[in-house]
């Protein structure tokens, strides 16, 4: 299906990867994984045809259709939502337009009539008569209601534009799907729908995602960008982590064993090479040394931050009491009569479809927004600290990493600040980096640094995994699991919700569903009720 031959990419003296030879075969679903900056997106752009490699080439079987998730949210602003989806099958879209033009003519010539007949045949062969239904089914599955399908793309907010572009990539059952972060801006239920859709799709897929659960559910192979190489492994992400970790440990152990053996042999040679009676044995030992191979172990681009949340003071029984809060923006009623209490030790995932008010609820809890009615009362011992979703609004651009973090505790000494930043992968001179040039991942790690410094006993997080790589997400997940205080968080990362939450609050158009238990238990309960 896709053949990669002798591929290399370098920028100046920096090698991203070199001498890559891979085959992406029919029916397999490949996850493209690696640390941020390792070259995943560059490799994907090469597959899409948007980037020229330094050496080598990629060939895709010419008779195959390729579906690509486009990232330009504004390219289709003048098009209707449903038409944007149709454009994912360019050959069908061309037939549809020509067919529509001819049927709109007041009168057809014989030649145009013949052309209509040809178009009808092509239209049928491409399953054009089912196109409206199939496009609508995709859009509804991705959470875009029927009444929006005829609207212009310019009327859609960013997250929903991405959903339309995802429907465009999936439309027409392409033979090959190239998807870069398809779960971005999707809520948990929509991600579950997408997982099911991709599992039923028969084509070959290459997918970049930082959602561990999604990779485990969907992908059959891991394509790992690391050590300036790209390697392929069969199995899901968890299997890859276990197998690659074991392989590296074995290689390190083998090298250690061989180095010890070489040292032992060298000592013998040094002691007895001048001794005539032992000279033959010394020569033999030297030959053994020459035969022992020390494997090259390139440094990994993967680095995990060290995250351990601690609280300055213990947390009492009541964390926060929310009593009948309402919040509207003009005519848009977002929060309507929301009430609940959260107690010490509870780790609460706030879930719901996009736009239902999850961020508004967190902002109201944290006093960033004032409710129109109702009250939010924090417990006397509660000290919340907040990870906001929009880092650009939280982190000003006119300071440095060090100075911004220090602004939250002027009494903290330099060693404390540097230690926290070092644990979050800001090493040496990077602590003086301008906040204006931070990447999404760096901004997220800086936000976590603030929470580590403040040592609150309640952690409030809004989509904390956005922009983080898998290693950072795993470190954050483990830290939240081990944290002794309470956690209130919004996330579309299924693994984080599954591993951390012991209570689920779902915001729905009909009110709040409050469930005490894990997310998996909540899904089982919900599905059992749906099947009644």
């Amino acid at each position: 299906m896709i053949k990669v031959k002798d591929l290399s990419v370098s920028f100046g003296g920096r090698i991203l990867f070199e001498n890559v030879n891979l085959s992406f075969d029919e029916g397999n679903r490949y996850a493209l994984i690696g640390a941020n900056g390792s070259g995943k997106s560059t490799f994907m752009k090469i597959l899409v045809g948007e980037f020229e490699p330094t050496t080598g080439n990629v060939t895709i079987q010419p008779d195959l259709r390729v579906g690509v998730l486009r990232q330009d949210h504004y390219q289709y602003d003048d098009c209707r939502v449903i038409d944007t989806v149709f454009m994912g099958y360019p050959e069908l879209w061309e037939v549809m337009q020509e067919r529509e033009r001819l049927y709109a003519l007041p009168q057809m010539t014989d030649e145009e009539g013949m052309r209509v007949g040809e178009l009808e045949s092509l239209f049928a062969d491409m399953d054009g008569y089912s196109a409206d239904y199939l496009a609508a089914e995709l859009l509804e599955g991705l959470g875009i209601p029927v009444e929006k399908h005829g609207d212009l793309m310019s009327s859609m907010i960013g997250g929903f534009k991405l959903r339309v572009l995802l429907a465009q990539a999936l439309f027409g059952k392409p033979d090959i799907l190239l998807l870069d972060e398809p779960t971005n801006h999707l809520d948990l239920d929509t991600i579950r729908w997408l997982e099911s859709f991709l599992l039923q799709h028969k084509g070959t897929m290459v997918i970049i995602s930082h959602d561990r659960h999604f990779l485990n559910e969907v992908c059959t192979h891991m394509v790992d960008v690391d050590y300036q190489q790209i390697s392929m492994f069969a199995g899901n992400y968890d299997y890859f982590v276990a197998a690659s970790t074991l392989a590296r440990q074995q290689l390190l152990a083998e090298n250690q064993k061989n180095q010890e053996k070489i040292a032992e042999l060298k000592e013998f040679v040094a002691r007895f090479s001048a001794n005539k009676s032992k000279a033959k044995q010394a020569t033999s030992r030297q030959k053994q040394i020459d035969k022992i191979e020390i494997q090259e172990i390139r440094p990994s681009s993967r680095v995990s931050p060290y995250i351990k949340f601690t609280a300055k003071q213990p947390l009492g029984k009541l964390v926060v009491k929310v009593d009948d809060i309402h919040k509207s923006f003009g005519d848009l009623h977002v929060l309507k009569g929301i009430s609940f209490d959260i107690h010490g030790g509870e780790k609460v995932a706030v879930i719901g479809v996009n736009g239902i008010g999850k961020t508004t609820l967190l902002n109201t809890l944290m006093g960033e927004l004032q409710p129109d009615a109702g009250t939010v009362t924090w417990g006397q011992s509660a000290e919340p600290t907040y990870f906001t979703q929009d880092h650009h609004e939280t982190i000003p651009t006119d300071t440095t990493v060090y100075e911004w973090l220090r602004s939250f505790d002027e009494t903290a000494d330099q060693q404390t600040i540097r230690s926290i930043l070092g644990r979050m992968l800001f090493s040496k001179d990077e602590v003086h980096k301008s906040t204006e040039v931070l990447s999404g991942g760096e901004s997220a790690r800086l936000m976590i640094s603030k929470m580590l410094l403040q040592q609150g006993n309640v952690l409030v997080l809004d989509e904390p995994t956005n922009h983080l790589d898998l290693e950072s997400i795993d470190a954050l997940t483990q830290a939240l699991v081990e944290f002794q205080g309470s956690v209130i968080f919004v996330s579309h990362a299924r693994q984080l919700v599954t591993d951390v939450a012991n209570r689920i609050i779902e915001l729905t158009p009909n009110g709040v569903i409050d469930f005490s238990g894990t997310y998996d238990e909540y899904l089982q309960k919900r599905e059992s009720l749906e099947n009644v």
Side-chain angles (χ1 to χ4, degrees):
M1 302 285 277
I2 306 175
K3 300 288 184 185
V4 178
K5 183 174 173 56
D6 300 331
L7 201 72
S8 299
V9 172
S10 58
F11 297 101
R14 185 193 172 207
I15 297 170
L16 275 186
F17 42 79
E18 58 185 347
N19 302 322
V20 178
N21 290 278
L22 296 171
S23 175
F24 295 86
D25 299 327
E26 183 176 358
N28 291 334
R29 299 183 294 273
Y30 301 89
L32 190 55
I33 60 173
N36 287 349
S38 63
K40 300 187 303 292
S41 293
T42 300
F43 184 70
M44 181 68 90
K45 287 178 182 176
I46 292 170
L47 296 183
V48 172
E50 295 177 351
F51 187 88
E52 193 69 29
T54 308
T55 67
N57 59 77
V58 172
T59 56
I60 296 177
Q61 203 172 312
D63 57 333
L64 300 180
R65 282 194 56 240
V66 181
V68 178
L69 176 55
R70 304 291 177 188
Q71 299 294 334
D72 187 348
H73 292 193
Y74 305 101
Q75 182 178 350
Y76 303 93
D77 270 3
D78 296 331
C79 305
R80 295 191 311 155
V81 167
I82 194 82
D83 291 340
T84 303
V85 178
F86 292 149
M87 290 176 196
Y89 193 165
E91 296 83 1
L92 175 60
W93 175 240
E94 188 178 333
V95 168
M96 292 171 81
Q97 286 183 297
E98 179 66 5
R99 183 171 169 267
E100 187 177 321
R101 184 189 71 81
L102 289 173
Y103 279 126
L105 293 173
Q107 192 173 352
M108 289 188 202
T109 64
D110 290 344
E111 185 178 343
E112 287 167 338
M114 293 287 288
R115 178 60 179 154
V116 165
E118 293 172 5
L119 290 172
E120 288 296 342
S121 178
L122 288 170
F123 193 66
D125 289 344
M126 296 178 188
D127 208 13
Y129 294 107
S130 302
D132 283 296
Y133 168 76
L134 294 171
E137 187 179 42
L138 283 171
L139 288 168
E140 288 186 74
L142 290 167
I144 299 173
V146 174
E147 58 268 22
K148 297 286 187 183
H149 296 184
D151 292 354
L152 289 178
M153 282 287 282
S154 57
S155 70
M156 308 293 286
I157 60 174
F160 283 89
K161 281 185 181 179
L162 180 70
R163 294 181 185 217
V164 179
L165 296 180
L166 180 54
Q168 180 191 74
L170 302 176
F171 179 68
K173 299 178 181 176
D175 303 292
I176 297 170
L177 276 172
L178 303 176
L179 305 175
D180 189 349
E181 296 290 2
T183 63
N184 274 6
H185 304 288
L186 300 186
D187 55 69
L188 286 163
D189 281 346
T190 310
I191 292 172
R192 290 174 66 216
W193 176 89
L194 180 61
E195 289 172 356
S196 177
F197 181 90
L198 294 178
L199 287 170
Q200 293 171 38
H201 186 72
K202 302 302 180 189
T204 300
M205 302 173 207
V206 183
I207 302 170
I208 295 176
S209 177
H210 290 147
D211 187 325
R212 184 175 189 144
H213 185 274
F214 181 79
L215 296 181
N216 280 330
E217 285 293 304
V218 172
C219 295
T220 60
H221 294 71
M222 299 293 118
V223 179
D224 182 40
V225 186
D226 200 2
Y227 312 110
Q228 299 177 344
Q229 300 171 334
I230 302 182
S231 308
M232 189 179 290
F233 301 83
N236 67 14
Y237 181 76
D238 284 348
Y239 177 81
F240 159 78
V241 170
S244 59
T245 301
L246 179 60
R248 188 167 177 83
Q249 288 172 344
Q250 289 175 336
L251 184 58
L252 289 167
E254 183 69 21
N255 272 2
Q256 178 68 25
K257 181 180 172 184
N258 285 340
Q259 285 166 344
E260 290 171 359
K261 183 67 175 174
I262 288 170
E264 181 185 321
L265 293 169
K266 280 184 174 179
E267 184 185 355
F268 185 93
V269 171
R271 285 177 61 194
F272 297 112
S273 58
N275 187 322
K276 289 184 179 180
S277 64
K278 300 269 190 177
K280 191 173 181 180
Q281 292 178 52
T283 302
S284 174
R285 299 290 199 283
Q286 184 59 55
K287 287 179 180 178
Q288 288 182 51
I289 292 171
D290 295 339
K291 289 179 181 178
I292 297 175
E293 186 177 355
I294 301 297
Q295 297 287 332
E296 179 190 6
I297 302 178
R298 295 182 178 184
S300 173
S301 58
R302 286 185 170 87
V303 185
S304 295
Y306 175 71
I307 307 174
K308 184 175 178 61
F309 294 111
T310 56
K312 288 179 188 173
Q313 68 174 29
L315 187 58
K317 184 177 180 182
L318 177 66
V319 173
V320 66
K321 182 179 182 62
V322 177
D323 187 18
D324 196 29
I325 62 171
H326 294 253
K327 183 65 184 175
S328 299
F329 299 94
D331 294 332
L332 181 62
H333 304 292
V334 180
L335 302 178
K336 294 175 280 188
I338 306 296
S339 297
F340 56 79
D341 295 351
I342 294 175
H343 299 100
E346 288 188 317
K347 297 181 179 180
V348 183
V350 179
I351 66 172
V353 300
N354 286 0
I356 198 70
K358 301 185 295 294
T359 294
T360 299
L361 176 60
L362 293 196
N363 281 336
T364 304
L365 292 182
M366 294 301 294
E368 303 285 327
L369 290 172
Q370 292 302 312
D372 300 330
T375 58
V376 174
T377 307
W378 286 92
Q380 286 188 344
S381 64
E383 293 185 345
T385 180
Y386 194 17
F387 182 111
T388 58
Q389 184 178 160
D390 193 338
H391 307 159
H392 298 295
E393 288 188 5
T394 307
I395 303 174
T397 57
D398 59 350
T399 185
T400 66
V401 167
Y402 180 91
E403 290 300 332
W404 184 78
L405 183 58
R406 190 170 180 274
S407 71
F408 292 95
D409 186 353
E410 295 288 349
T411 65
D413 58 36
Q414 185 181 54
Q415 184 178 351
T416 299
I417 300 291
R418 278 186 168 273
S419 173
I420 289 172
L421 290 172
R423 284 159 51 191
M424 295 310 298
L425 309 182
F426 293 100
S427 57
K428 299 179 181 176
D429 292 340
E430 285 187 333
V431 302
H432 300 302
K433 194 172 188 175
S434 168
T435 52
E436 187 175 11
V437 298
L438 293 180
S439 68
E442 288 171 327
S443 295
R445 286 188 272 112
L446 185 54
M447 295 281 288
I448 296 170
S449 300
K450 181 199 76 167
M451 302 182 89
L452 293 171
L453 178 66
Q454 290 180 319
Q455 294 184 303
N457 52 22
V458 184
L459 307 180
V460 183
L461 307 101
D462 191 0
E463 297 288 8
T465 63
N466 286 356
H467 309 295
L468 292 180
D469 57 22
L470 282 159
E471 287 69 37
S472 297
I473 293 171
D474 286 348
L476 175 62
T477 302
Q478 188 62 32
L480 293 176
V481 168
E482 294 175 354
F483 181 56
Q484 296 301 304
S486 284
V487 182
I488 306 167
F489 69 105
V490 170
S491 179
H492 67 263
R494 168 71 180 270
Q495 199 70 50
L496 183 74
V497 175
T498 299
D499 290 348
V500 174
N502 56 26
R503 180 176 170 189
I504 307 296
I505 291 178
E506 180 171 9
L507 304 185
T508 79
N510 300 317
V512 171
I513 300 173
D514 194 342
F515 178 82
S516 182
T518 67
Y519 184 62
D520 286 341
E521 290 168 344
Y522 175 67
L523 289 179
Q524 290 172 7
K525 178 76 171 178
R526 196 171 75 174
E527 285 165 8
S528 67
L529 291 174
E530 288 171 355
N531 293 329
V532 171

